Structure formats: C-alpha cells, structure tokens
C-alpha cells in the first residue's frame, strides 16, 4: 500500500532563501508521527506542504499515493483536519457551529450535523452544554479540545497538528497529549502529523519522531530507537536534555 504521506526530494524557498532542502520521508497509513525541531527549522512549512497551503519549489509531495499537483486542493483539504496553536475558532459562532463548519460546507443534513457535534464533544470529553457557548466562554484547554473536535468533524483520514498545545500550562498540556493519544488509538487508521518543539511531547506522542534542523531531517525513528541510537550530535544533545530532566525528576521514577 502507498504511504499516506510521502515527501520525495522536496525543496521550499522563501524570497530566494532555501528553507527546506531535499526533504524525503514517508508516513504510513494510521501512523502518529511527531515532527520535532527548533524555531525556524521548517516544521510549519512541512505541514503546509501536506495540505497544499504551500507548493514545493522542487520534488513531490504525495498524499494518499497521489501527487498534490494532480489533486483538487479544495477537495483534498476537506480530507485533512488542521489544528493550530491559536485554535482559529470563529469568535462569533457557537462551539457547536464551529465544529459544524466543514459538515455544513459538505451539505450534511441538519440532524446528521447535530448528532456529529454531540459525538465529537463526547470524543474530546467536553460537556454537551458547551455546544451553545461562545468559544471565549471556555478555557484555553477547552478551546483546544474544540479545535481538535472541529478538525475531526468530517472524519478526515489525515489530521495535522501545528503546536496546538504550545500556549497551555504544563498540566493542561499533558492532559491534552493524553487525549490525542487516546483519540488516535480509538479512530483506527487515521494518520496524524503532530508538530512540536517540545522533545518530551514528541517522544510521548510519536510512534515515530521526525527530527528536523535547518530544513533537513536529522533522524526519523521510533522514540526508543532515538534514545538508543541518536544519529547525530544534534539529536544526542536534544536527548541529553531529557536525561537531565529525568535526573531532576528522579524522585518521581519507580
Ligand atoms: N511566508 C514566508 N515568507 C518568508 N519566509 C518564511 C515564510 N514562512 C516561513 N518562512 C521562513 O522559513 C523558515 C521555516 O519556517 P517555519 O515556519 O516552517 O518554521 P517552524 O519550524 O514552524 O518554526 P516555529 O517553531 O517558530 O513555528 C523560517 O526561517 C521562516 O522565517
Ligand atoms: Mg511553526
């Protein structure tokens, strides 16, 4: 079976500056892959190349086995959920209406939309009464739950997350990381690409972690493999910070 998402020698330039160079990787259907890298390493650019918000200046991006250049991007984006840090919720719509945006666009009947909103609120563990509230009446963590529900509304096979929990406090963030893992497991076969600059988040969530630096891949491997065999000094340094944290938190270990 073709990979769900495949980059072959992808390059991207901004204003004559190459920010991604010769990026090649493949994500299998149903995988949860985290993309880890420091600010400016090209993580958001990579995600936007997947949903066609950006087009490559070299190489090929394939989603579902087919080059993006050969796909109707409006149609494709309906099959790709997108969760961003600022939630992007419409402030003048209720939570329920926010979740229903894509099903409405798809012309679903009203009853089906209502049932879907109720199911999704349950999936992200929000009170059903939230549906009628305005986003600003929810906490930051609850708003991100709505963002996740909205991204999943039309049951897309692919979901992209761009540092969705970056602005949340540590505890809320941990809670939502657990939710993403649970949701990914419960919705078999969906491919999640999750961008973060937090190594703990990347290792906890990712079945594989794609480590980026300066627009190139340092290593793409399962967390245990990264820890056992860091491929570059950069990856080794990143992991050293985790080891340091472990030492600091040693009293918490079993
Ligand atoms: N529209 C744009 N025009 C010009 N340069 C851009 C544009 N978008 C991104 N860049 C540059 O491309 C590089 C990669 O940016 P990108 O947003 O992908 O990084 P990132 O890894 O997502 O960083 P962060 O963690 O800060 O979100 C950066 O140097 C950035 O300044
Ligand atoms: Mg970014």
């Amino acid at each position: 079976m073709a990979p769900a998402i495949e980059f072959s020698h992808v390059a991207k330039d901004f204003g004559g500056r190459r920010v991604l160079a010769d990026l090649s990787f493949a994500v299998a259907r149903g995988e949860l892959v985290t993309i880890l890298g420091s600010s400016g390493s090209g993580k958001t650019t990579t995600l936007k190349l997947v949903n066609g918000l950006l087009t490559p200046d070299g190489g090929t991006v394939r989603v579902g086995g087919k080059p993006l250049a050969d796909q109707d991007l409006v149609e494709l984006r309906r099959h790709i959920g997108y969760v961003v840090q600022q939630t992007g919720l419409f402030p003048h719509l209720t939570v329920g209406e926010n979740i229903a945006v894509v099903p409405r666009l798809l012309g679903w009947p009203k009853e089906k939309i209502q049932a879907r909103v109720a199911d999704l609120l349950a999936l992200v563990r929000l009170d059903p009464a939230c549906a009628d509230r305005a986003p600003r009446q929810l906490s930051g963590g609850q708003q991100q739950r709505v963002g996740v529900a909205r991204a999943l509304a039309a049951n897309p096979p692919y979901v992209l997350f761009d540092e969705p929990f970056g602005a949340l406090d540590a505890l809320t963030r941990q809670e939502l990381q657990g939710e993403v893992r649970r949701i990914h497991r419960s919705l078999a076969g969906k491919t999640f690409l999750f961008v973060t600059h937090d190594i703990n988040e990347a290792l906890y969530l990712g079945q594989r972690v794609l480590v980026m630096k300066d627009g190139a891949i340092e290593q793409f491997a399962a967390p245990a493999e990264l820890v056992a065999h860091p491929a570059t000094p950069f990856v080794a340094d990143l992991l050293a910070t985790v080891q340091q944290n472990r030492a600091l938190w040693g009293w918490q270990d079993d």
Side-chain angles (χ1 to χ4, degrees):
M1 195 161 48
I5 297 167
E6 186 174 23
F7 278 50
S8 307
H9 306 291
V10 169
K12 183 68 197 169
D13 303 329
F14 285 120
R17 194 167 63 90
R18 182 135 289 197
V19 300
L20 292 184
D22 200 30
L23 202 63
S24 296
F25 66 90
V27 176
R29 183 171 167 267
E31 242 189 323
L32 198 178
V33 165
T34 49
I35 302 181
L36 172 68
S38 40
S39 187
S41 58
K43 305 180 299 294
T44 296
T45 303
T46 302
L47 279 196
K48 288 183 171 173
L49 286 162
V50 174
N51 64 9
L53 289 176
L54 292 172
T55 45
D57 295 301
T60 310
V61 177
R62 289 184 183 81
V63 175
K66 210 169 142 192
L68 247 59
D70 302 342
Q71 301 200 39
D72 175 349
L73 292 183
V74 174
E75 170 65 19
L76 176 76
R77 276 186 216 123
R78 288 179 179 166
H79 301 286
I80 304 182
Y82 196 22
V83 188
V84 294
Q85 185 170 331
Q86 308 75 9
T87 76
L89 297 177
F90 299 112
H92 55 288
L93 299 183
T94 65
V95 163
E97 288 165 344
N98 265 286
I99 295 173
V101 163
V102 176
R104 280 235 172 92
L105 279 174
L106 295 173
W108 290 16
K110 208 173 150 195
E111 304 70 47
K112 186 177 168 191
I113 292 180
Q114 270 174 357
R116 184 71 183 146
V117 168
D119 285 351
L120 285 163
L121 286 173
L123 181 71
V124 300
R125 296 208 263 218
L126 281 174
D127 191 307
C130 285
D132 300 319
R133 296 201 195 128
R136 66 168 185 284
Q137 294 173 300
L138 304 186
S139 71
Q142 289 171 325
Q143 289 183 30
Q144 276 305 356
R145 288 176 190 265
V146 177
V148 172
R150 186 179 58 175
L152 293 168
N155 202 22
Y158 315 96
V159 188
L160 312 178
F161 299 82
D162 196 349
E163 307 210 35
F165 310 144
L168 302 176
D169 65 86
L171 213 62
T172 308
R173 186 174 180 144
Q174 241 175 39
E175 215 174 277
L176 283 165
Q177 288 165 0
E179 300 292 10
V180 167
R181 245 167 86 146
R182 176 182 60 80
I183 290 168
H184 179 258
R185 284 207 194 109
S186 74
L187 307 170
K190 289 203 192 301
T191 308
F192 281 16
L193 261 191
F194 190 107
V195 159
T196 179
H197 60 250
D198 176 342
I199 179 143
N200 292 298
E201 186 165 80
L203 293 174
Y204 170 72
L205 272 181
Q207 294 171 329
R208 286 194 295 161
V209 183
L210 188 141
V211 185
M212 289 183 73
K213 183 181 172 237
D214 302 332
I217 297 174
E218 290 277 308
Q219 190 167 3
F220 186 21
E225 172 69 14
L226 282 182
V227 172
H229 305 289
T232 66
F234 179 77
V235 177
D237 284 350
L238 268 176
L239 287 160
T241 68
V242 176
Q243 303 303 346
Q244 258 173 25
N245 285 340
R246 280 221 183 117
L248 281 172
W249 301 339
W251 55 273
Q252 283 184 339
D253 282 349
D254 290 336

